[in-house]
Amino acid sequence: MTASPAPSPSGTSTSASVPSPGADALTAVVTGASSGIGRATVERLVAEGWRVLAVARRQERLDQLAAETGCEVLAVDVTSDDSVDALARRVEELFEGSLNAVVHVAGGALGIESAADADLEKWQRMYEINVLGAVRVTRALLPTVRASGRGDLLFVTSVAAQEAYPGGSGYNAAKAGEHMLAAALRLELNGEPIRVIEVAPGMVRTEEFSLVRLGDQDAADKVYDGVENPLTARDCADVISYALGAPHHVNLDLITVRPLAQAAAHRVARHQGV
């Protein structure tokens, strides 16, 4: 399978360069689309001819993404039943009751406290977004995915779902929950033409992930100190695109992707030129 061409850099697209998907184009919903991996995934899929509904909480960022790529957008809070119900209605209307892929990117980490000093509000928020948000969206959109006859549920988790590390217990627990959701769905949907795919990134440098987690730009920058080539959001979008584009009888159950400098969640080569 050959790699698909990369999209134009963010912010450089114009309406003249937006692809015009055909009537038989594949369709996708991408959550967490306002920044980082979600945004890069929308850019990549639209460039490849998909019809994409990009969802996130921040309307102004979605509007900018729509202007740059030609995607459809809807402001959605994945922790709200009413908001996700509105998403299901929009998908039914926009894609005429048939949806090929749901890419679950919405999520995130909050804090680095030890379990002994756990901030339970942060733990609850991480569980609400990473696990219950993914469940809520899956439950709402699964009927339209089934109706497509060629469906994909793709979950962007983390190496934190596979490896515990000090200060990561809350995020470890939340992402492990999302990992098990994907694993259970794969069993429950066995025999149906629906793939369940999990992409678990390691160290990815985006504009917001570490900043939101740590609440301070200097602290966020130190996470990547001495790592010359952390993953980028576009690296992850490449992997997502490859998984969705593989022949539909090929299921990439779990893809763990890290930068070369990272051997494990807690072991990173710094100042080594890799």
Side-chain angles (χ1 to χ4, degrees), residues 87-165:
L87 168 62
R89 291 192 296 271
R90 181 59 178 144
V91 167
E92 183 79 22
E93 173 188 62
L94 183 63
F95 300 137
E96 299 179 345
S98 178
L99 177 65
N100 294 112
V102 182
V103 183
H104 297 272
V105 185
L110 296 171
I112 54 172
E113 296 86 1
S114 68
D117 296 319
D119 182 329
L120 295 186
E121 289 186 3
K122 291 179 180 178
W123 278 60
Q124 184 168 342
R125 182 64 179 165
M126 284 187 282
Y127 192 81
E128 282 281 352
I129 299 172
N130 292 284
V131 183
L132 297 184
V135 174
R136 191 174 280 109
V137 171
T138 298
R139 183 179 63 182
L141 299 186
L142 185 55
T144 50
V145 173
R146 279 195 166 109
S148 74
R150 183 207 182 280
D152 292 320
L153 302 175
L154 189 150
F155 296 84
V156 177
T157 61
S158 170
V159 296
Q162 306 168 22
E163 305 162 349
Y165 56 91

Side-chain angles (χ1 to χ4, degrees), residues 5 43 48 54 79-80 90 153-154 158 160 178 188 200 217 253 265:
E43 292 173 343
E48 292 173 359
T79 70
S80 163
R90 181 59 178 144
L153 302 175
L154 189 150
S158 170
E178 189 179 4
E188 292 166 356
Q217 189 63 60
D253 287 12

Side-chain angles (χ1 to χ4, degrees), residues 148-204:
S148 74
R150 183 207 182 280
D152 292 320
L153 302 175
L154 189 150
F155 296 84
V156 177
T157 61
S158 170
V159 296
Q162 306 168 22
E163 305 162 349
Y165 56 91
S169 55
Y171 189 53
N172 290 144
K175 281 302 185 185
E178 189 179 4
H179 163 74
M180 283 300 176
L181 167 62
L185 278 167
R186 195 175 296 114
L187 296 172
E188 292 166 356
L189 297 174
N190 182 239
E192 299 188 44
I194 300 174
R195 300 184 297 190
V196 179
I197 302 163
E198 180 182 352
V199 176
M203 179 181 282
V204 185

Side-chain angles (χ1 to χ4, degrees), residues 241-274:
S241 168
Y242 186 93
L244 293 176
H248 207 255
H249 70 283
V250 176
N251 195 89
L252 298 174
D253 287 12
L254 171 61
I255 309 164
T256 302
V257 52
R258 311 178 197 264
L260 178 60
Q262 185 179 38
H266 60 284
R267 186 173 182 91
V268 180
R270 301 180 186 273
H271 306 288
Q272 299 297 311
V274 296

